[in-house]
Amino acid sequence: MNFWERITGNDISREWKAFDTRAAALPADHRAAWEQIKGHLHPHADLTGRNLTPILDAALGLLEETAAAGESAQEVLGDDVQGFCTGLLGGAGARTYRDRWREQLNRNVARKLSRLGG
Amino acid sequence: MDDLTEMLKGTLEGCVLEIIDREETYGYAITRRLNELGFADVVEGTVYTILLRLERNRLVQVAKRPSGVGPPRKFYALNDAGREELARFWAKWQYVSTRINSLKEGGR
């Protein structure tokens, strides 16, 4: 990744476009599962979404493997797609953008308070 | 038996370690093994996230092998750290199960 790509996020849109191409080749139920997975993972993206790329790649890999083996998306993921996504992110403590906002807010308030001598 | 998910949560990782310890294997086979044991609710996605965690914690060796259909499959084998973790799991299981059983039997 060079400087230009880092600034513009070009590499990300290219990689995500490649994901969409791969997903388009999946059977319908796997494709629906893919859309759901993307939806669940999205709140956990950092500013560019770069942190999600390897995770999405892993999830798509599983869908491709199982589709080729003739398993249905239901057999692969059950009914707990959210739980699956939490597992992919590395556990229940995975940070979302809300956690980051909350921390930032807390930091700012604490700083202002200390300036007031409170 | 239904609704085992909550109760299995802490133990499934140990079960997967034990299955891998028997022989090098892959996600689909592990899931089927658990289903045969009677854990019908366990789906491949669950096993897959456990395998990712084992990989992140460096408890397994991973090798990609070509498969009959589709992309190459990832095969998992335990390394030394994995075998230590498995021994710890069985020790903990022994501790928990004996105490819960003695509670059930009414002993102290």
Side-chain angles (χ1 to χ4, degrees):
Chain A
M1 177 172 54
N2 61 35
F3 177 74
W4 177 247
E5 287 182 328
R6 186 188 288 277
I7 294 301
T8 57
N10 262 350
D11 58 322
I12 292 296
S13 23
R14 198 164 54 232
E15 278 176 44
W16 287 43
K17 216 172 275 172
F19 287 156
D20 286 337
T21 316
R22 280 164 65 190
L26 292 171
D29 58 333
H30 287 70
R31 217 161 48 227
W34 169 244
E35 291 303 323
Q36 254 186 299
I37 290 170
K38 280 201 293 189
H40 282 303
L41 292 180
H42 205 248
H44 300 276
D46 60 13
L47 188 63
T48 59
R50 210 165 255 124
N51 64 329
L52 286 189
T53 312
I55 298 173
L56 286 168
D57 185 42
L60 193 54
L62 175 69
L63 290 174
E64 286 171 333
E65 239 178 71
T66 52
E71 288 181 81
S72 73
Q74 169 75 23
E75 271 177 285
V76 177
L77 298 178
D79 38 25
D80 186 17
V81 177
Q82 174 113 51
F84 170 71
C85 292
T86 310
L88 281 183
L89 290 164
R95 283 151 51 90
T96 70
Y97 63 92
R98 274 197 238 156
D99 296 324
R100 286 190 289 273
W101 286 350
R102 199 174 297 127
E103 276 167 27
Q104 195 179 24
L105 183 67
N106 282 338
R107 249 195 332 268
N108 288 341
V109 170
R111 205 174 49 223
K112 297 231 159 117
L113 281 178
S114 70
R115 203 175 297 156
L116 287 172
Chain B
M1 204 175 279
D2 294 336
D3 278 344
L4 283 174
T5 322
E6 278 302 314
M7 209 180 238
L8 275 179
K9 242 173 211 167
T11 48
L12 215 43
E13 187 170 312
C15 298
V16 171
L17 281 171
E18 176 65 35
I19 293 171
I20 300 173
D21 189 41
R22 299 283 167 86
E23 58 171 343
E24 189 193 52
T25 183
Y26 55 97
Y28 178 76
I30 297 171
T31 312
R32 286 299 158 267
R33 182 80 192 92
L34 289 166
N35 295 155
E36 281 164 21
L37 279 172
F39 302 138
D41 285 348
V42 175
V43 291
E44 195 164 352
T46 313
V47 172
Y48 184 72
T49 51
I50 291 173
L51 289 171
L52 279 182
R53 195 160 63 235
L54 295 179
E55 199 178 334
R56 264 198 292 254
N57 295 338
R58 297 176 199 284
L59 300 174
V60 287
Q61 271 174 329
V62 186
K64 281 207 169 182
R65 306 262 163 76
S67 66
V69 281
R73 281 196 180 279
K74 274 168 115 180
F75 279 76
Y76 299 82
L78 290 197
N79 58 25
D80 288 339
R83 278 186 287 273
E84 280 167 32
E85 184 64 29
L86 178 61
R88 273 195 295 276
F89 166 74
W90 283 125
K92 282 189 269 187
W93 175 254
Q94 180 71 21
Y95 182 90
V96 171
S97 62
T98 49
R99 268 139 197 93
I100 290 182
N101 279 331
S102 77
L103 178 68
K104 189 181 165 210
E105 314 292 327
R108 287 182 171 268

